[in-house]
Amino acid sequence: MRVPLDAKDGEQTIFDGLIAARDRFGDKEILEDLDRKPLTYTGLIRAAFVLGRKIAAMTEPGERVGILLPSSAGVVVTYYGLHAHGRVPVMLNFTSGQSNIKAAIKAAGVRKILCARRFVNQAKLEDLLDDLATVAEIVWLDDVRKTIGLPDKLYGLMAGLMPRQFRVKTDPSSPGVVLFTSGSFGAPKGVVLSQWNLVANCRQVAQHIDLKPEWVMFNPLPTFHCFGLTGGVLLPILHGMKAFQYPSPLHAKQIVELLPDVKASILFATDTFLNQYARVAAPDDFATLQFVVAGAEKVRPETHHLFNTRFHGLKLLEGYGATEAAPVVAVNHPDRNRPGTVGQMMPGMEWRIDPVDGIPDGGRLFLRGPNVMKGYLSAEDPESVEPLAGGWHDTGDIVDIDKDGYVSILGRIKRFAKIGGEMVSLTAVEGLASAVWPDARHAVVSIPDARKGEKLVLVTDRRDADVARLAEWARSHGAPELAVPKKIMRVAEVPVLGTGKTDYVRIQQMAELEKAA
């Protein structure tokens, strides 16, 4: 199946897309962060050229350069600065732990990491940076900025007037970013997205939803997460909306108070964070929002209920994405919102659904399109990218698509257990637990079982959770007995990743350690 993408503007590079946006929308304010010193398009272009030239003096053309920064105007300037001078940004997840970050540095062949002392001090990452300094050179942007003098400013002034003459020419098919999957299952994998993958995905979203240039996009998500980079930075800037960058999604109270102050129109976040924001927000805190977009994890019924009851008329739009697809694959529309689904496929996407033995409804989703990655980084050779067979990306997700094209996520292929010969969706079992205890957070994993092949383990922060209550609810609602976990682990907090997604790797380890004890 395929929905056509309007290709009238042709393929573009990241930096040419920025220049074209200034031509189209005029020299308006386009970027702001907590420092409250907004940049116009020209201000962003000049800053990118000036900082980018400093970095270019210490790197090679085409070199992959690590960026370890929070969501801020600084990370946006740095990202565009690398593109202005033909370098490739590698976004490093500073919440993923030393071993994962070092593995990412090695996999991408990163020799230099761009960072800021102010951020490291505030986030208390000194030990992490000391460790990373053993495998790559740390370049402190604070120090680089101190070396900017009059010649650099004059260069930036000229480059801002004639950016197409000053920028290093690259190809839309050349790398736009190297990102790493969140590692929900196993070690993170390096994803190489082309410049056109990223620009195309922004166009797909803008063709699907009519975005107004007077709107403000509020981005609390980190740019090492594709949702934060594409949705929170590139999409608004390429389509005339101011992009407001907030350094951490964890600051629920500060964020909800800031939303009306910056006149935020769209808020991007994950279910975990949106649930927290909705709990602490007064109705007026969301008054300027046109709609809210949730991605990266399933939206719980409780979160929908919070938005429906506390913020009447505010649409919570669930979407679906993958780092490998830059990331937006499908999203609901403000005028055609179907809670429980992740909306309709983006224009320009092809998809197929392959049947899976033991799963009667839906199938395994494969994707191809202008936003689908070039490939994964080879584990053996940082310079090599393993291309996709026929251009198709295997999402590993089990989905169903109805006659109107709305996509329902039934689970991940790895999120199914085989119990007594029957396939059981772990996602569906989490839904069962959420129905019984909607105010708690739950995660379900499976461990080997000598009698039935696998056994379900519910990890929950509900202190009085018990198997009998689950079994009673399942019987009264016609859920199969196989879907009731026979073991419950009660924890103070269900582990999550820095992006807010459930950390299934840690939860699996916890369940296996408990079994072995």
Side-chain angles (χ1 to χ4, degrees), residues 11 19 42 45 80 101-102 117 154 205 213 220 222 242 284 292 298-299 317 341 351 379 458 478 490:
E11 296 187 7
I19 299 166
T42 297
I45 289 168
Y80 276 110
I101 300 173
K102 286 164 96 170
R117 284 196 177 87
L154 291 172
V205 175
K242 182 190 279 188
D284 288 350
V292 176
K298 183 177 175 62
V299 176
L317 309 179
T341 77
W351 64 90
L458 170 65
R490 299 166 194 85

Side-chain angles (χ1 to χ4, degrees), residues 2-137:
R2 181 167 189 162
V3 178
L5 173 66
D6 184 355
K8 66 177 184 296
D9 294 326
E11 296 187 7
Q12 258 179 343
T13 64
I14 294 288
F15 209 84
D16 282 352
L18 173 63
I19 299 166
R22 183 179 69 172
D23 294 344
R24 179 180 173 191
F25 298 106
D27 195 21
K28 59 179 287 189
E29 289 184 1
I30 200 66
L31 179 65
E32 193 174 2
D33 65 9
L34 276 183
D35 287 341
R36 308 308 295 270
K37 296 174 182 175
L39 285 174
T40 63
Y41 275 116
T42 297
L44 172 55
I45 289 168
R46 285 176 182 164
F49 270 114
V50 171
L51 181 63
R53 187 166 75 152
K54 292 288 186 183
I55 298 165
M58 56 183 92
T59 55
E60 300 295 325
E63 182 176 333
R64 292 179 187 153
V65 183
I67 298 179
L68 198 149
L69 292 167
S71 292
S72 58
V75 77
V76 179
V77 169
T78 304
Y79 178 84
Y80 276 110
L82 290 177
H83 275 290
H85 293 272
R87 274 62 177 171
V88 179
V90 178
M91 312 307 284
L92 298 174
N93 179 350
F94 46 81
T95 71
S96 65
Q98 292 179 357
S99 59
N100 276 340
I101 300 173
K102 286 164 96 170
I105 289 166
K106 182 181 178 184
V110 167
R111 299 195 294 272
K112 288 184 171 64
I113 299 170
L114 308 177
C115 198
R117 284 196 177 87
R118 176 184 170 193
F119 164 57
V120 170
N121 294 337
Q122 288 176 345
K124 297 180 171 56
L125 297 176
E126 292 89 350
D127 290 346
L128 171 64
L129 269 292
D130 287 345
D131 189 48
L132 297 184
T134 64
V135 295
E137 180 187 345

Side-chain angles (χ1 to χ4, degrees), residues 163-186:
R164 289 183 178 86
Q165 283 71 40
F166 279 75
R167 60 101 170 91
V168 172
K169 187 165 174 52
T170 54
D171 191 83
S173 64
S174 62
V177 73
V178 178
L179 295 162
F180 289 85
T181 59
S182 57
S184 294
F185 302 99

